Amino acid sequence: MASIEEETIAPSTEKKYDILEDLPGVGPATSQKLQEMGFHTIESLATATARELEPAGISQKKALDVIRLARGSITLSFVRADELVKQRENILRLTTGSKVLDDLIGGGMETQTITEFYGEYGSGKSQVCHQLAVNVQLPPEQGGLDGGALYIDTENTFHTERIVSMAKHLNLDPQLVARNIIVAEAFTSDHQIFLLENADLVIKENNIRLIIVDSLTGHFRSEYVGRETLAMRQQKLNKHMHKLIRLARAFNTIAVVTNQVMSKPDVFFGDAVHPIGGHVVAHTSHTRLYLRKSARGPVRIARLVSSPYLPDGEGIFKITQNGLEEVGEDEKKRK
Ligand code: GTP
Ligand code: MG
């Protein structure tokens, strides 16, 4: 956690900087070290804490100076509510491809926040991620953000075939769409963390507007088994989620994570499942959606479980060859 002092570092208004080496006091050696630590861009330095920069061999004072200059170079604001209002004005929205789902979350997915989709095997989490990776490339008038997607695939379930059919359905050039999705396969939880820690330059250079981690918890769940590993797992997950929030804020991107569920054998009423990751994931995801299968084949039920400002609610959509689609009125009547 950053200290109060660090969170309130006033941005410098003197000058704008584009690359690390331009910052006064950051020579080639420090720049190299910072980059090795995952800070390749001014944006990532702007959201860093002084303590995080210390391993680069710089004093705390210098670290604070560097952060202040970086903050002054980009549109980022901290603490004051009037500035938060301004920051919210920059928020962009992306369509999920389903009007029902968009309405459920207040008009589409938001930049600068983390949206979590959780649900059982086959509930459609990865399909939603694929659809978002295509939709983000649409122009704003069609609900897109004219940007690319970064897809961190931890379970080897990213399929270009799905991207191709979804793109074709939207009359987009499948080859171009595939070009704008940067896929990074994560082999272990540490590798997953490493990929995100080093994602800033890729995000900046490829106009990434959507960062997906599918699945957030898969590796953690299989690697950290047993009570004694729980604290370590939660600590790492916490840091990972915070990195994601900071990237989403610094680059005004949407962040999406998927999460599996565990069954609760002791629950008799209500849902006998709950998402993995406990409080850490629950509290760092801003919007949580629970997906479940229905008795009617392709139809999925989405429940908004948690949102900063919207009431809980439910909606249905379906998954077809074309991607996410609306459930027709006649289909709704069919049992
Ligand atoms: P896990 O990652 O295993 O936890 O599941 P998930 O929630 O990510 O499920 P996923 O998004 O992979 O959903 C898989 C389901 O989507 C399949 O069982 C199908 O019902 C549906 N689906 C996937 N691809 C297609 C397709 O090309 N056509 C149709 N009609 N349905 C598809
Ligand atoms: Mg999946």
Side-chain angles (χ1 to χ4, degrees):
M1 272 273 111
S3 70
I4 294 189
E5 185 200 6
E6 285 167 355
E7 279 299 339
T8 52
I9 302 167
S12 149
T13 51
E14 296 145 28
K15 210 177 155 206
K16 306 278 176 227
Y17 301 93
D18 291 326
I19 53 168
L20 262 49
E21 286 85 349
D22 288 349
L23 290 165
V26 177
T30 308
S31 158
Q32 166 108 31
K33 277 199 201 115
L34 287 170
Q35 297 198 42
E36 282 164 11
M37 288 158 55
F39 298 100
H40 303 92
T41 58
I42 300 287
E43 284 84 350
S44 63
L45 279 180
T47 50
T49 60
R51 201 187 309 157
E52 277 180 313
L53 303 191
E54 270 170 28
I58 55 179
S59 68
Q60 197 184 25
K61 185 184 169 305
K62 190 159 150 191
L64 291 170
D65 280 345
V66 165
I67 295 167
R68 189 172 53 83
L69 291 168
R71 285 187 185 175
S73 287
I74 61 165
T75 1
L76 250 193
S77 35
F78 292 83
V79 292
R80 286 219 323 260
D82 59 338
E83 291 187 346
L84 285 181
V85 171
K86 230 187 299 162
Q87 198 178 333
R88 270 203 73 82
E89 283 168 7
N90 296 330
I91 285 178
L92 304 170
R93 283 183 176 274
L94 168 66
T95 179
T96 60
S98 151
K99 172 97 173 54
V100 170
L101 202 50
D102 286 354
D103 288 347
L104 189 65
I105 52 178
M109 315 269 300
E110 275 187 1
T111 56
Q112 301 181 25
T113 63
I114 298 183
T115 304
E116 173 193 351
F117 289 91
Y118 71 87
E120 280 173 4
Y121 160 78
S123 57
K125 305 178 293 293
S126 297
Q127 294 304 310
V128 170
C129 292
H130 282 71
Q131 185 72 65
L132 292 170
V134 175
N135 291 0
V136 73
Q137 304 186 36
L138 288 166
E141 56 275 20
Q142 289 178 49
L145 301 181
D146 246 339
L150 172 63
Y151 202 119
I152 299 186
D153 179 18
T154 76
E155 302 187 314
N156 203 6
T157 51
F158 177 81
H159 295 300
T160 41
E161 301 79 13
R162 292 301 287 138
I163 298 296
V164 169
S165 21
M166 289 173 181
K168 278 189 185 155
H169 180 67
L170 291 170
N171 292 321
L172 297 171
D173 176 349
Q175 197 129 26
L176 272 182
V177 169
R179 247 192 93 74
N180 286 323
I181 304 174
I182 313 269
V183 184
E185 198 183 338
F187 300 107
T188 62
S189 66
D190 277 340
H191 188 215
Q192 178 182 333
I193 290 169
F194 173 84
L195 288 171
L196 202 64
E197 293 286 337
N198 287 280
D200 62 339
L201 201 57
V202 169
I203 293 169
K204 188 171 181 160
E205 288 182 344
N206 295 282
N207 186 30
I208 297 295
R209 286 268 168 248
L210 168 69
I211 307 168
I212 294 166
V213 185
D214 181 24
S215 121
L216 172 73
T217 47
H219 283 315
F220 288 93
R221 186 188 194 181
S222 59
E223 290 168 26
Y224 294 85
V225 184
R227 285 223 151 259
E228 67 286 1
T229 65
L230 193 65
M232 173 67 92
R233 183 188 85 173
Q234 292 307 89
Q235 198 186 340
K236 289 204 172 194
L237 257 176
N238 190 33
K239 204 165 165 233
H240 190 45
M241 288 291 270
H242 276 97
K243 180 70 192 181
L244 187 58
I245 294 174
R246 287 192 278 165
L247 287 172
R249 292 210 179 124
F251 296 99
N252 199 18
T253 68
I254 291 166
V256 173
V257 300
T258 67
N259 194 358
Q260 271 225 341
V261 291
M262 259 162 67
S263 56
K264 280 193 280 196
D266 52 338
V267 171
F268 293 101
F269 299 102
D271 274 319
V273 297
H274 66 119
I276 312 283
H279 294 302
V280 164
V281 177
H283 293 153
T284 42
S285 301
H286 303 106
T287 304
R288 310 191 92 187
L289 285 146
Y290 174 34
L291 299 183
R292 42 189 219 284
K293 292 183 233 181
S294 77
R296 286 168 293 169
V299 176
R300 297 293 187 275
I301 305 151
R303 163 171 278 276
L304 181 65
V305 177
S306 157
S307 154
Y309 53 87
L310 293 168
D312 290 3
E314 249 179 27
I316 57 172
F317 64 92
K318 62 179 181 179
I319 302 171
T320 71
Q321 172 76 15
N322 296 335
L324 261 61
E325 290 195 290
E326 236 58 83
V327 179
E329 284 306 317
D330 51 328
E331 284 172 284
K332 279 185 199 162
K333 286 179 202 126
R334 242 180 276 147
K335 282 281 167 200

